Amino acid sequence: MKKTILVLSALFTTLAMPMAYAQEETTQQISTTVKAPSYFLTYSYYKYDLQGTNNANTRIYGFDASTVDLNMITATWLYSPEWTLLAFVPHIKNMVETKYEPIPGGLNFKTRDYTEGLGDVRLMAMTPLHASEQHLVLGDISVTLPTGSIDETFTSNPAQNAAYNMQLGSGTPDLILGSTYTYTPVAKWVNSARGQVTVRGGRNSSGWAFGNEFLTTLSSKYQVNKYFEFGVAGNYKARDAVQGRDDKYELNNNWNGTAKGDGHQYYHAPQINWDTELIAKVTSPAFYGANASLEGGVSFWRDAINKDDIRLDMPYWLSASVTGSF
């Protein structure tokens, strides 16, 4: 029983990711006469506000503002003391402003493009590998279903497919393996480390695939009381180059204007991004088995490495969620 409570308390911390998911921690007081909840349903909204800082080395384009609005439904089932099963259903809205030839004598015009719809559904199974009073190690395995569209087109040019990172899914069934270590040296102070590897399931119907991806997150948080916590976090993501090409997107691989070169080389090589951030979270009191939370992060150091030296940074993010237990 103690292991089950530990897993439940760490569950949503385990699922924390830099582009993606906020944390939700739940602790249940269990008596011999009251059955602990086995099912949880969470609605979460995430707002990511990004800003372009470096134009591409080719001088063909650069990013201005970009936003991601993510609505997520998460269903959690405590199947047994050893296994927790989860399903994530995302709805995504992307917006990006692209500046073309932002140089003297160049085109110097800007477009705004949107894509919106269901993303890739993710199914996860999680189990504790080690649990003690101060240490908890969780392992998880997931598969993603290719429910997100890979045929989204540019709002500014409906004849051309949107860029790879504006598509709503990968178009392939992908395998995700992860592990989270949580260390609690003293009460109210929680340190955690997570590593995750995504392996793509071949090329999709349009003949391309996202590269395999490695993600790691380190965090240290202090719980002032049961309603407020704050801390710091560091995120690192490395993704391999896109495999193949989408001919409906890469219509003009050899740009020949004031600037010249491969306008898509950003996707044709590995990409690395990292950041550090201050984070804080407020959680409401429980009300009829439900509680709400508001969380945010402010980045104070970030960088990126890619073939075109282009930057699209996230200075801050916000999330809100409501969780009910059954």
Side-chain angles (χ1 to χ4, degrees), residues 126-194:
M126 178 185 298
T127 187
L129 304 177
H130 172 77
S132 65
E133 187 173 350
Q134 293 184 328
H135 305 272
L136 174 64
V137 180
L138 299 176
D140 57 85
I141 182 170
S142 305
V143 293
T144 62
L145 309 180
T147 50
S149 168
I150 58 169
D151 296 313
E152 299 298 300
T153 59
F154 281 125
T155 310
S156 58
N157 183 11
Q160 183 178 10
N161 272 8
Y164 301 106
N165 58 357
M166 287 288 284
Q167 299 299 332
L168 301 174
S170 67
T172 58
D174 302 327
L175 175 67
I176 303 175
L177 301 173
S179 183
T180 302
Y181 168 63
T182 301
Y183 172 54
T184 309
V186 296
K188 298 186 177 183
W189 184 25
V190 179
N191 303 283
S192 64
R194 175 167 176 80

Side-chain angles (χ1 to χ4, degrees), residues 194-210:
R194 175 167 176 80
Q196 176 179 293
V197 176
T198 301
V199 181
R200 306 297 176 182
R203 298 191 183 189
N204 56 41
S205 59
S206 294
W208 58 271
F210 284 125

